[in-house]
Amino acid sequence: MALGVMSLLCSFLAVLSIAMTATAGDEAALLAFKAHLSNGGLLASWNSSAGFCSWKGVTCSHRRPARVVALRLNATGLTGPLSPAIGNLTFLRTLDLGTNSLHGDIPASLGRLRRLQELYLGENSFSGTLPVNLSSCTSMTNMGLYNTKLSGRIPAELGEKLTALVAISLRNNSFTGPIPASLANLSRLQVLDLSNNQLVGSIPPGLGSIQSMRFFNLFGNNLSGMLPPSLYNWSLMGAFEVGYNKLHGNIPDDIGSKFPKLYYFGLGHNQFTGTIPSSISNISSLETIGLYHNGFSGYVPPTLGKLGALQTLYFADNKLEADDNDGWEFITSLANCSKLKTLELSINSFGGQLPGPIVNLSTTLRFLQVMNNRIFGSIPADIGNLVGLEVLG
Ligand SMILES: *[C@@H]1O[C@H](CO)[C@@H](O)[C@H](O)[C@H]1NC(C)=O
Ligand SMILES: *[C@@H]1O[C@H](CO)[C@@H](O)[C@H](O)[C@H]1NC(C)=O
Ligand SMILES: *[C@@H]1O[C@H](CO)[C@@H](O)[C@H](O)[C@H]1NC(C)=O
Ligand SMILES: *[C@@H]1O[C@H](CO)[C@@H](O)[C@H](O)[C@H]1NC(C)=O
Ligand SMILES: *[C@@H]1O[C@H](CO)[C@@H](O)[C@H](O)[C@H]1NC(C)=O
Ligand SMILES: *[C@@H]1O[C@H](CO)[C@@H](O)[C@H](O)[C@H]1NC(C)=O
Ligand SMILES: *[C@@H]1O[C@H](CO)[C@@H](O)[C@H](O)[C@H]1NC(C)=O
Ligand SMILES: *[C@@H]1O[C@H](CO)[C@@H](O)[C@H](O)[C@H]1NC(C)=O
Ligand SMILES: *[C@@H]1O[C@H](CO)[C@@H](O)[C@H](O)[C@H]1NC(C)=O
Ligand SMILES: *[C@@H]1O[C@H](CO)[C@@H](O)[C@H](O)[C@H]1NC(C)=O
Ligand SMILES: *[C@@H]1O[C@H](CO)[C@@H](O)[C@H](O)[C@H]1NC(C)=O
């Protein structure tokens, strides 16, 4: 009997001691995180007068022992390196240290956070490479590492292992090398933002199989080759931007039935050719079309006026045509777009007289440029109808 009580007590104490170790481990990890910061004093509430679950930015689980499940210190002025001890907070689901002045490497120990779902380290000064170990965070759904100074390649392991990913942004870093073809495995991905890096090579065609994709931004890299036609299979696509690369290809004639939810379409500053298909006028959600600095030719579709949500057309620096007989009809049509703000038609092969109906464009129009074309004659007297104009080139 006494022995039984003793052994029960012993195992109770053992459980308690494991629990206390885990808890003490979380507290020690938080204090190590604070100690690494050069201005850890900002975390004044992180002191022993209260349990760590009440510290600023710390959220604990309700289970016993309490474990840290979220650390949210976005935009709190933190400066210094990120302690590898963060990897000891093994119950962490959310780590948000975005918009601070953290620098140095992203610790590979973060790979120990198997429960981590959200990782926001963006708008900091982290340098070095993206640790391959992050691919061990297999619960990860959201990864925001934009506006830092990371370099090196995007590890292929991310695509092989982080299959729960819904959104990943590596925007505005210094990543080099190709886009790993393994990213095609991220079958739940909705947001892929790799813009403003130095990525090279071609866009993996397999990405087209990710049916959930709705925001795709590869702007400002050095990607080359043909834009894979498979990408036009994204039926949920909202914003599609591949500007400032070295891509080529045509816009498919049937684009109007491919991207029914598209509101932003950016192909600017590449080597695209062919005509602008008139079916584009069937994508009624379109707000912005950016085709500047490519080799597009032929007439602008005279049906663009069907796009009631249209605000911005950047068609500058192509080989688009019009003359007194044909090609200007799109201007009459655009008069139907009551939200039009920007119409940029410079550096093309538009010729003949400036069409009279240009004075009937929406008064919301702020920016109108038709410079460097072959247009002659007079400017329509009623151009003053465009009372919203701020720039007329
Ligand atoms: C983090 O965990 C490791 C391994 O369990 C341990 O050696 C280290 O002391 C811990 N660091 C802190 C600051 O708790
Ligand atoms: C310790 O934290 C509490 C809040 O948890 C705060 O009221 C107190 O001022 C802090 N003590 C010091 C010495 O910073
Ligand atoms: C972080 O803070 C900044 C600035 O207050 C804000 O713009 C941003 O949305 C926040 N990010 C997150 C993930 O909460
Ligand atoms: C990175 O992952 C490897 C393989 O899983 C592991 O051996 C290593 O300890 C990890 N590094 C850190 C710092 O956790
Ligand atoms: C890119 O990130 C840097 C910080 O690394 C920031 O200063 C800069 O404003 C960012 N640029 C853009 C376009 O977001
Ligand atoms: C997807 O991941 C599996 C391993 O999980 C790998 O064998 C396959 O090559 C990956 N697919 C691509 C396109 O990389
Ligand atoms: C693209 O590559 C060229 C050299 O081929 C280089 O001059 C340029 O800086 C690169 N651009 C980017 C955005 O990496
Ligand atoms: C687009 O998806 C369909 C099935 O939804 C498939 O048959 C077709 O091959 C895909 N096209 C491309 C270019 O991947
Ligand atoms: C646009 O859609 C209408 C109705 O769905 C269809 O009849 C027409 O052929 C389409 N136009 C183009 C150019 O694809
Ligand atoms: C004018 O715009 C509306 C949507 O705002 C659209 O339904 C209609 O078809 C357009 N008319 C013409 C002639 O393009
Ligand atoms: C502008 O629209 C008005 C009203 O619809 C129309 O009467 C006029 O002829 C149009 N002007 C031009 C130059 O097309």
Side-chain angles (χ1 to χ4, degrees):
M1 170 78 181
L3 265 181
V5 170
M6 276 303 278
S7 92
L8 206 66
L9 190 65
C10 278
S11 50
F12 174 72
L13 284 176
V15 168
L16 191 69
S17 120
I18 290 169
M20 291 201 39
T21 310
T23 303
D26 275 8
E27 178 163 2
L30 290 170
L31 289 174
F33 164 76
K34 174 180 171 177
H36 267 67
L37 301 172
S38 60
N39 61 349
L42 280 182
L43 300 176
S45 71
W46 289 31
N47 64 50
S48 52
S49 77
F52 64 86
C53 291
S54 66
W55 294 355
K56 178 185 174 187
V58 176
T59 305
C60 287
S61 60
H62 294 302
R63 66 199 292 284
R64 292 200 178 272
R67 300 294 306 265
V68 177
V69 292
L71 186 55
R72 292 190 185 89
L73 292 167
N74 179 41
T76 46
L78 305 179
T79 304
L82 178 56
S83 166
I86 284 285
N88 286 11
L89 300 172
T90 50
F91 276 68
L92 213 51
R93 291 198 292 259
T94 298
L95 178 59
D96 181 2
L97 303 175
T99 317
N100 282 298
S101 300
L102 299 172
H103 57 75
D105 289 338
I106 292 180
S109 63
L110 291 186
R112 297 178 56 202
L113 304 177
R114 303 296 158 88
R115 295 177 175 86
L116 194 67
Q117 294 170 3
E118 299 177 300
L119 176 64
Y120 301 117
L121 299 177
E123 307 245 23
N124 276 293
S125 298
F126 289 113
S127 54
T129 58
L130 191 61
V132 173
N133 279 38
L134 279 183
S135 64
S136 302
C137 304
T138 48
S139 306
M140 188 103 74
T141 56
N142 291 66
M143 191 166 165
L145 296 177
Y146 47 88
N147 291 13
T148 68
K149 293 171 181 158
L150 296 170
S151 56
R153 291 173 168 241
I154 300 173
E157 289 84 348
L158 296 187
E160 287 156 16
K161 300 203 182 135
L162 299 189
T163 49
L165 266 182
V166 171
I168 177 167
S169 174
L170 305 179
R171 163 167 53 89
N172 190 19
N173 280 285
S174 298
F175 286 108
T176 53
I179 299 175
S182 64
L183 296 189
N185 272 348
L186 302 177
S187 59
R188 297 180 194 169
L189 201 61
Q190 298 179 14
V191 174
L192 178 63
D193 189 347
L194 305 178
S195 60
N196 288 319
N197 281 287
Q198 286 133 41
L199 301 172
V200 296
S202 52
I203 300 175
L207 294 180
S209 68
I210 305 177
Q211 305 205 338
S212 47
M213 192 81 84
R214 58 184 171 77
F215 183 104
F216 182 70
N217 190 355
L218 302 181
F219 182 94
N221 282 287
N222 255 336
L223 299 165
S224 56
M226 188 158 114
L227 185 74
S230 57
L231 303 193
Y232 290 100
N233 253 4
W234 286 331
S235 59
L236 301 177
M237 179 50 53
F240 183 96
E241 170 64 274
V242 296
Y244 277 85
N245 282 289
K246 295 172 183 162
L247 299 165
H248 65 87
N250 306 346
I251 304 177
D253 283 343
D254 58 355
I255 187 172
S257 56
K258 293 294 191 182
F259 281 166
K261 302 188 170 188
L262 192 70
Y263 60 87
Y264 184 105
F265 189 49
L267 302 182
H269 221 283
N270 277 292
Q271 295 153 14
F272 290 101
T273 49
T275 55
I276 305 172
S278 60
S279 81
I280 205 168
S281 316
N282 269 0
I283 309 178
S284 58
S285 45
L286 262 176
E287 295 171 9
T288 300
I289 309 178
L291 305 180
Y292 54 90
H293 195 90
N294 278 293
F296 289 110
S297 55
Y299 298 146
V300 176
T303 43
L304 284 183
K306 285 168 68 182
L307 299 174
L310 195 63
Q311 295 185 17
T312 303
L313 284 182
Y314 287 118
F315 285 177
D317 203 0
N318 280 290
K319 296 170 184 158
L320 299 168
E321 296 169 38
D323 58 33
D324 279 335
N325 299 317
D326 280 306
W328 280 118
E329 294 82 355
F330 74 97
I331 293 286
T332 313
S333 168
L334 283 178
N336 188 43
C337 301
S338 61
K339 296 178 179 161
L340 195 64
K341 285 200 286 223
T342 301
L343 182 55
E344 168 57 286
L345 303 172
S346 301
I347 324 177
N348 275 290
S349 294
F350 293 114
Q353 306 235 29
L354 208 52
I358 204 165
V359 307
N360 274 349
L361 291 175
S362 170
T363 53
T364 55
L365 193 67
R366 296 209 297 242
F367 184 103
L368 172 61
Q369 289 202 150
V370 294
M371 307 182 298
N372 289 52
N373 279 290
R374 298 184 287 107
I375 300 166
F376 61 87
S378 56
I379 298 173
D382 287 339
I383 195 82
N385 290 1
L386 302 176
V387 293
L389 265 193
E390 290 165 12
V391 175
L392 174 61

